[in-house]
Amino acid sequence: MKPFNAMKRYGAKIAAAGSALMLSGAAMAQSTGIDAVLDAVSLDGIETKITAFCLVVVAIALVFKGPDLAKRIIRKV
């Protein structure tokens, strides 16, 4: 029984080491097709457009708020 228990104990350790090697090999795998497509997409133009849109929204909000602020300033003077 002792040799069987020893094989069972060391066999589990060898299996664990083998699975760890397989996982590390998978981590170093080459990129797939979808990774190449996602890396090819550039977000620089989209970021610029979103920033410009946000600035336009803020400017419109300030234009609508301007007359109210002007009334308050004139009342206090």
Side-chain angles (χ1 to χ4, degrees):
M1 283 306 256
K2 285 187 179 182
F4 180 71
N5 288 338
M7 287 189 320
K8 191 166 71 171
R9 182 176 1 142
Y10 291 118
K13 288 182 181 179
I14 291 171
S19 65
L21 287 174
M22 288 175 53
L23 289 176
S24 67
M28 292 187 295
Q30 294 180 354
S31 64
T32 60
I34 191 71
D35 291 335
V37 170
L38 290 175
D39 289 339
V41 174
S42 175
L43 297 178
D44 294 335
I46 295 172
E47 180 183 355
T48 304
K49 290 177 184 176
I50 290 174
T51 304
F53 178 73
C54 291
L55 288 175
V56 167
V57 169
V58 169
I60 290 172
L62 289 175
V63 166
F64 282 120
K65 197 69 165 171
D68 293 334
L69 292 175
K71 281 183 185 178
R72 289 182 189 171
I73 291 172
I74 291 172
R75 273 190 233 147
K76 289 187 178 189
V77 173

